Amino acid sequence: MQTITIDNALYADAQAYAEERGMSVSALFERYIKRVLRPKTKAMSAEKAETLHRIDLALKEFKLIQEGKIEARPVEELFDELDEQ
């Protein structure tokens, strides 16, 4: 956990700024931190979207196997492929 330390003058300025906007100082800091962390959140979202896309493709392939439209591979073949990577 990280701690943010500010001096009295900075806190007074932050308090005045927050009051002008009808906010508390803690709400002001929370908003700032969310803005700073936003790029990291977007990167995680892209990774999450890619994972969900891969899961979607796997489920579609599984459905095609169940319908008999494509043939399943033996599990040994899958393990061999994973060992090669």
Side-chain angles (χ1 to χ4, degrees):
M1 173 187 249
Q2 280 188 312
T3 304
I4 298 173
T5 306
I6 59 173
D7 62 22
N8 290 336
L10 181 57
Y11 184 80
D13 289 343
Q15 193 171 24
Y17 183 83
E19 285 177 4
E20 288 175 8
R21 284 151 183 74
M23 304 169 68
S24 66
V25 174
S26 60
L28 178 69
F29 284 133
E30 182 179 336
R31 205 164 150 193
Y32 172 75
I33 290 169
K34 283 181 181 178
R35 190 176 314 146
V36 169
L37 294 178
R38 189 176 300 146
K40 291 180 184 177
T41 305
K42 287 183 181 179
M44 285 189 288
S45 295
E47 185 178 319
K48 182 178 178 180
E50 175 64 25
T51 301
L52 291 174
H53 176 70
R54 288 175 181 238
I55 291 171
D56 185 51
L57 290 176
L59 291 173
K60 286 178 182 176
E61 186 174 333
F62 181 71
K63 184 178 179 183
L64 292 173
I65 291 169
Q66 283 185 319
E67 294 172 352
K69 295 182 179 177
I70 62 173
E71 196 171 310
R73 318 188 278 177
V75 72
E76 292 83 11
E77 187 180 311
L78 176 63
F79 288 148
D80 290 341
E81 183 180 318
L82 291 173
D83 283 339
E84 291 172 5
Q85 293 178 0

